[in-house]
Amino acid sequence: MKLPPVIARHARQFGTFAVFVVLCAVISVLTPHFFTVTNLLNVAQQTVINALIAVGLTYVIISGGIDLSVGSILAFAGVVMAHALRLGWPVPLAILAGVGVGAGCGLVNGLLISYGRLPPFIATLGMMSVARGGALLATDGRPVSGFGESFRWLATGEIAGVPVPVLIMVLVYAAAHLVLQRTKFGRYTYAIGGNEEASLLSGVPVRLYKTGIYVVGGGLAALGAVLLTARLNSAQPIAGINYELDAIAATVIGGTSLMGGQGSVIGTLIGALIMGVLRNGLNLLGVSSFIQQVVIGVVIIAAVLLDTFFKQSKR
Amino acid sequence: MEAAPAILQMKGIAKRYPGVVALDGVDLEVRRGEVHILLGENGAGKSTLMKILAGAVRRDAGTIALDGRECDLATPRAAQAAGVSIIYQEFNLVPHLTVAENIFLGREPRGQVPGLISAARLRTDAARLLRELEVTINPGAVVADLGVAEQQMVEVAKALSVEAKILVLDEPTSALSDKEIAQLFKVIRALRGRGVALIYISHRMEELFQIGDRVTVMRDGRYIATRDIPQTTLPELVSLMVGRDLTEHFPKKAVPPGEELLRVEHLSRTGALHDISLTLRRGEVVGLAGLMGSGRTELARAIFGADPVTAGRVTVKGREVKVGSPRQAIGLGLGLLTEDRKRQGLVLCLDIRANTCLASVDRFSAAGVVDGRRETAAAQKLTADLRVKTPGLHQRVVNLSGGNQQKVVLAKWLCCEADILIFDEPTRGIDVGSKVEIYQLINRLAAEGKAILMISSELPEILGMSDRILVMNRGRIAGEFTAAEATQEKILHCALGAHAA
C-alpha cells in the first residue's frame, strides 16, 4: 500500500488517531450516553489536567529525559496559589505565584540535571518528594478551600459554549505544537534528545535548553494545578499523586519515544484523549474501577508493543 | 589452484525498502578456506547483503544454500546455528563484562550446581580460544579496559567459539594501527588454513591485495563481477565499483594561500597535548598525520572548545580569543567534522533538513521562530550541491549510507558558513566514489578561501591533499613538511620517532 508522503511521515499520529476514532465508535455503539454533547464535554473536562501535564512531559521525554515530580509540583503550586488567594491577592497575581512555584521547581530540576549532571530520573524523584513535602508543610496537611467566583470561573465558565478549561487546553496545545515544530526551542528539544553530544558539537547550548525544558514541564504542571483547584474549589496537598504516571502513559500512547528525539504534542493530546474516553466509556458501561485499572495498563503496554512491532517489521 | 567447494551460495537476493531498492538480484559464492572480499561503494548493498546472511534482515526474494543445502536463515539465531558469524564495525560486546564472559555470552558453560555458571571452565575455555589466536589477552580482563584491536580479537574469539564456518568481517581494520592490522591478518590466514570461509568488507584497497583470494564487486544493489585477486588490478576494481574510470584519485589543486585565519600557540592540555603551535591560512589544506592516540583528535577538540585547555593562545582572524565551547567556536567561524559521525556528528533520528541546519538554526530564526522555508531552501541547495543521494529532505539520516551521511555533516558546516574547517578522518568508512567527491569538495572549499585542517590516518590521502603536513606524536607536533618534501617514509618516521628513540 502506497501512502501519501504526509501521512507516511506522520503514520504514528494517524495510527493513534485511528485507534481513538475506533474506540469512540465502539463505545458509542455500546452505550447511547457516550456520544452526547454533555458527555463529550465532560470527557474533555476530565482530560484537561492530564493533558496539560502530559504536554510538558512530552517536551521532557523528547529531550531524552523524564520528570517524575510533576504530580507533586502540581500539589505544591496549588497550595501556594490557594494561600495567596486566601490572603486576598488578586486572581492573576495568585495564579502567577502558583505557576512561578511550578516553574521554579522545574528550574531546580533542570539545573540539577544540566549543571549537576544528575540523571533526570534521580533529580525528579528527589523533587517529587521535596515538592510533596513542601505542599504538606505549607498546609499542615490540610486542604485550603473556598475561593471567589472570579477564580472559580476558570473551571465553571464557558465561552461560546465551550468550557474555559477545554479552551485553555486547546490554546496550550496549539502553542506547544507550534513551539515544538517551528521554533529554535522545539528544534533543539528534538536534537538534544536525538543526540546530545552531536548537538553540543553543533553549537546547541544544551544545558540552557535542557534547563528550560524542565521549567516548561514544571510550569505546565502548575497550570494544571490552577484548573484543578478551581474545579474542586480546594487545593489539596495530596493532590496529583500518580498524575506523572498518567501523563507518561498519555505521552507514550501518543507515540513519543522514551529514548528521546522522537514524538509529537498532537500524539500526546490523542493519547490523553484515548485515556479519557476509555475511562469515561468504561464508567458509562458500569465497569468496575478495578477492571478499569487493568484495561488502562493493557492499553499502555499494547501501544508500545505495537510501536516496537512496526519498527521491527520495517527492517 | 584447484577450486574448493562452495560453502555458501546466495542467489538472486533481493530486498526493497520504501522508496529504495537495496538489493536487486545479488549473487555471492564463497568457498571453504578462502578470504572473499566484498567490494562496493557505500550504499552498494554490502551491509544489507551481510545482514540478510546473518538473519538480521529478511530478504524479499532469492535463495541461500550452505554446503549445497538450501536454508532459510530467518533469524540471527538460525544463522548462528548454521555457522555464520558476523563481526560488525561496531562491536557487540558488553563493556562491563570480562573477556571470557563476553566470548561465551548466552552459552555459558554449566557448573556442577544446576543453574550456576562454571567460572573455571569459562576461563579455561576462553584462554584456550585466545591462545589459538595467538593473542595475549587476559580472559579475566574487563572488555571496557581493552583497546580497539583487543576488543576485535575478543569478537573473533567469540565467533570461533560457536565454530563459525563462515565469518564476516565488516571493515575490521578501520580503527587499527598497522601493527594491529598485521596481527589481524595473521589470524585471518590461520582461520583460512582451518577451512573457515571469510567474507571481508573493506574500503582500504591496498588491503585487498594483501589478504584476499577472490573479490566480488557490487554496485547500486547489483552484482557486478567476481575476480581472482591475483588476476585483477586496482584500476580494474575501482572502475568496476564506480562504473567509470577514476583517472585522478587526488585531484589536488594548489591555491595561493591568503591571510592567516587561525593561529594556535603553545596550546597544552595536561596529559594529552603539549605545547602545540600551528597556523592556518585562507586557501590552505594542512594535513595532520600521526598514529592513533597521538593526540590529533584531542587537538581538534581543544581548538574547537569541546575540551578545556590548560595553557596556550588561540588567535582567530587576527583577534586573540578564548574558545570555551563549541558554540563560541562556531560563532568564530570554526567547524569540526568529527571522527565518529554517528555518535558526534549527526542526530540520526532527525531528517536531513534538521541535521543540515542544526549548527545554523540561529541564522534561520528570528525571535526564536525558525523559518522553515528558508531552511528547506538552504538544505535543498546544499543537498543538491553535495549530491546527497536521497528520496527527499525528510529522509531520516539513519537511513542514509555512510558516504551520504558524511555529506550531510559537511552540509551542516557549509550551511553555517564556517571558514575554518577541521576535518577529522573525513573519508573514514566511505567508498572510493564518495571519497573522491569529498576530496574535490575540500579543494573547492580551499579555492573559495576557507582554511582546512585535515586529520587522516591514510597517508596517501594526507600526501595527496595537503599543502603542508604536520605530524603529531605523543601529544606534540613532531614535524612539519611542505607538500613537495613530504614522503610516506618521512611522515612515518616522524610519527614513530619518539618510540624508536
Side-chain angles (χ1 to χ4, degrees):
Chain A
M1 192 173 64
K2 250 308 199 230
L3 294 169
V6 179
I7 296 185
R9 225 181 303 135
H10 302 287
R12 183 55 172 76
Q13 280 100 303
F14 281 95
T16 319
F17 188 65
V19 169
F20 175 63
V21 170
V22 170
L23 186 67
C24 289
V26 169
I27 297 173
S28 42
V29 168
L30 291 177
T31 162
H33 303 297
F34 176 73
F35 216 77
T36 61
V37 174
T38 329
N39 186 55
L40 289 183
L41 285 178
N42 189 18
V43 173
Q45 286 263 34
Q46 287 171 347
T47 306
V48 164
I49 310 287
N50 185 22
L52 283 178
I53 299 175
V55 70
L57 208 60
T58 304
Y59 273 73
V60 169
I61 292 178
I62 290 176
S63 81
I66 192 78
D67 191 343
L68 301 176
S69 62
V70 280
S72 298
I73 290 179
L74 178 140
F76 191 28
V79 299
V80 169
M81 180 188 63
H83 273 311
L85 285 168
R86 300 287 297 169
L87 288 172
W89 289 29
V91 171
L93 208 59
I95 291 176
L96 207 65
V99 173
V101 164
C105 291
L107 179 67
V108 174
N109 279 337
L111 292 174
L112 287 173
I113 292 160
S114 300
Y115 296 88
R117 294 174 197 280
L118 277 184
F121 191 97
I122 301 300
T124 62
L125 185 69
M127 179 56 75
M128 179 170 149
S129 189
V130 170
R132 178 69 61 195
L136 288 163
L137 279 173
T139 59
D140 213 8
R142 285 187 293 269
V144 183
S145 312
F147 310 112
E149 214 31 61
S150 62
F151 176 68
R152 297 214 55 210
W153 176 83
L154 285 170
T156 55
E158 286 184 4
I159 295 176
V162 184
V164 172
V166 176
L167 214 59
I168 290 175
M169 175 179 79
V170 170
L171 287 177
V172 166
Y173 266 83
H177 176 73
L178 286 177
V179 167
L180 194 57
Q181 300 304 326
R182 299 280 173 81
T183 68
K184 214 156 76 169
F185 188 84
R187 181 65 59 81
Y188 286 167
T189 302
Y190 278 114
I192 291 168
N195 189 339
E196 192 169 327
E197 196 178 356
S199 301
L200 189 70
L201 290 173
S202 298
V204 176
V206 171
R207 295 198 283 196
L208 178 71
Y209 277 81
K210 256 169 99 168
T211 308
I213 288 162
Y214 287 90
V215 172
V216 169
L220 283 166
L223 190 58
V226 173
L227 297 186
L228 187 67
T229 308
R231 190 205 293 165
L232 302 176
N233 195 18
S234 164
Q236 321 258 357
I238 50 159
I241 287 176
N242 283 349
Y243 278 22
E244 60 280 345
L245 300 182
D246 273 358
I248 293 172
T251 308
V252 166
I253 292 173
T256 295
S257 161
L258 282 174
M259 307 294 291
Q262 280 168 290
S264 73
V265 163
I266 303 299
T268 299
L269 179 59
I270 304 170
L273 285 173
I274 286 179
M275 289 182 67
V277 165
L278 207 57
R279 286 225 168 93
N280 174 264
L282 293 172
N283 275 333
L284 290 179
L285 293 171
V287 176
S288 91
S289 65
F290 300 165
I291 295 181
Q292 289 188 23
Q293 296 260 6
V294 175
V295 173
I296 299 265
V298 169
V299 167
I300 295 167
I301 291 170
V304 180
L305 265 185
L306 280 176
D307 259 0
T308 319
F309 176 75
F310 280 120
K311 266 183 203 137
Q312 273 181 355
S313 67
K314 265 199 256 169
R315 72 187 186 145
Chain B
M1 189 179 84
E2 196 183 326
I7 186 166
L8 169 70
Q9 279 178 305
M10 300 177 85
K11 280 211 178 101
I13 305 291
K15 176 72 190 173
R16 270 172 202 81
Y17 289 107
V20 195
V21 179
L23 293 175
D24 186 8
V26 175
D27 300 337
L28 178 66
E29 187 212 80
V30 182
R31 295 169 190 157
R32 196 179 296 284
E34 77 166 345
V35 177
H36 196 107
I37 311 283
L38 197 53
L39 198 57
E41 296 192 280
N42 281 339
K46 298 168 309 217
S47 300
T48 310
L49 187 68
M50 289 304 103
K51 280 181 189 158
I52 286 173
L53 178 62
V57 170
R58 247 168 282 155
R59 62 187 185 275
D60 296 336
T63 59
I64 302 176
L66 286 171
D67 274 329
R69 262 183 320 170
E70 212 168 286
C71 42
D72 194 30
L73 305 186
T75 63
R77 217 184 167 81
Q80 207 181 55
V84 178
S85 273
I86 296 207
I87 300 176
Y88 293 103
Q89 236 171 316
E90 283 103 22
F91 300 148
N92 284 314
L93 297 173
V94 186
H96 299 298
L97 293 185
T98 66
V99 170
E101 283 162 349
N102 264 287
I103 291 176
F104 291 102
L105 193 64
R107 296 164 290 106
E108 291 81 1
R110 299 246 176 84
Q112 274 161 354
V113 185
L116 294 189
I117 296 167
S118 162
R121 262 189 61 202
L122 192 70
R123 245 185 111 82
T124 51
D125 287 0
R128 180 178 48 76
L129 279 166
L130 292 166
R131 225 174 15 249
E132 280 176 33
L133 290 174
E134 294 179 44
V135 289
T136 50
I137 299 173
N138 176 5
V142 173
V143 160
D145 298 338
L146 301 180
V148 182
E150 290 173 317
Q151 293 192 8
Q152 189 166 49
M153 284 303 151
V154 176
E155 284 271 16
V156 174
K158 195 171 150 187
L160 287 184
S161 74
V162 297
E163 276 154 40
K165 287 184 278 187
I166 300 170
L167 179 60
V168 182
L169 296 155
D170 189 356
E171 298 238 22
T173 59
S174 59
L176 301 190
S177 69
D178 286 348
K179 204 176 132 210
E180 291 162 344
I181 291 174
Q183 168 69 23
L184 176 70
F185 281 4
K186 212 172 90 186
V187 170
I188 288 177
R189 290 195 184 99
L191 292 176
R192 177 173 62 183
R194 283 160 54 168
V196 176
L198 294 113
I199 301 175
Y200 188 100
I201 300 175
S202 175
H203 288 115
R204 296 197 178 173
M205 304 293 282
E206 69 275 10
E207 283 177 4
L208 314 188
F209 291 91
Q210 285 174 39
I211 194 75
D213 297 309
R214 288 197 305 157
V215 53
T216 291
V217 181
M218 291 176 66
R219 187 204 315 146
D220 297 333
R222 285 193 302 273
Y223 170 86
I224 301 298
T226 300
R227 296 271 187 276
D228 287 330
I229 294 277
Q231 266 99 59
T232 188
T233 60
L234 184 61
E236 185 196 20
L237 289 179
V238 170
S239 71
L240 283 173
M241 273 169 72
V242 298
R244 59 183 189 271
D245 287 318
L246 288 175
T247 43
E248 207 174 16
H249 203 80
F250 296 107
K252 176 67 194 165
K253 290 192 190 75
V255 179
E259 72 195 276
E260 187 180 282
L261 288 184
L262 176 73
R263 169 177 287 269
V264 173
E265 289 164 297
H266 312 299
L267 192 76
S268 293
R269 177 166 181 238
T270 311
L273 302 169
H274 309 286
D275 196 22
I276 305 265
S277 296
L278 60 89
T279 61
L280 266 181
R281 297 153 71 101
R282 269 193 201 285
E284 238 186 352
V285 180
V286 174
L288 187 57
L291 301 179
M292 192 102 13
S294 60
R296 299 170 304 173
T297 299
E298 289 76 2
L299 175 58
R301 287 179 59 92
I303 295 174
F304 196 64
D307 291 332
V309 295
T310 39
R313 243 187 358 188
V314 176
T315 313
V316 175
K317 293 163 197 165
R319 218 155 46 91
E320 191 182 329
V321 291
K322 281 264 173 286
V323 187
S325 70
R327 186 172 181 76
Q328 283 175 10
I330 292 165
L332 292 165
L334 273 83
L336 170 64
L337 186 139
T338 52
E339 185 179 20
D340 186 339
R341 63 180 164 266
K342 285 185 185 163
R343 229 171 278 160
Q344 302 168 329
L346 293 165
V347 184
L348 290 171
C349 61
L350 294 187
D351 62 15
I352 293 179
R353 186 184 76 163
N355 272 286
T356 302
C357 302
L358 185 59
S360 35
V361 175
D362 284 335
R363 63 176 64 208
F364 292 113
S365 46
V369 179
V370 182
D371 185 341
R373 268 172 310 185
R374 270 176 59 213
E375 269 193 331
T376 305
Q380 201 118 48
K381 187 171 163 293
L382 284 164
T383 314
D385 201 25
L386 300 181
R387 298 205 283 148
V388 179
K389 258 194 249 169
T390 169
L393 290 178
H394 286 292
Q395 185 75 16
R396 291 184 181 176
V397 294
V398 69
N399 296 327
L400 299 178
S401 70
N404 282 313
Q405 286 181 344
Q406 192 70 307
K407 287 181 188 173
V408 173
V409 180
L410 274 170
K412 175 172 77 181
W413 296 119
L414 299 186
C415 192
C416 65
E417 290 171 16
D419 50 10
I420 303 166
L421 292 163
I422 306 173
F423 290 166
D424 195 352
E425 303 281 4
T427 63
R428 168 170 293 174
I430 284 184
D431 56 85
V432 177
S434 299
K435 270 186 186 178
V436 174
E437 280 184 66
I438 286 179
Y439 296 145
Q440 281 165 345
L441 191 81
I442 290 175
N443 284 327
R444 204 182 83 195
L445 295 174
E448 285 169 7
K450 300 190 190 292
I452 293 156
L453 182 66
M454 186 184 78
I455 299 172
S456 174
S457 294
E458 292 191 36
L459 285 180
E461 184 170 291
I462 289 269
L463 288 164
M465 290 302 300
S466 314
D467 298 301
R468 270 189 303 137
I469 295 159
L470 301 172
V471 186
M472 279 191 80
N473 185 348
R474 295 188 170 187
R476 295 171 199 280
I477 300 279
E480 175 166 355
F481 304 94
T482 63
E485 65 188 358
T487 62
Q488 294 214 18
E489 289 72 25
K490 281 187 193 168
I491 294 175
L492 265 179
H493 193 258
C494 203
L496 292 163
H499 297 271

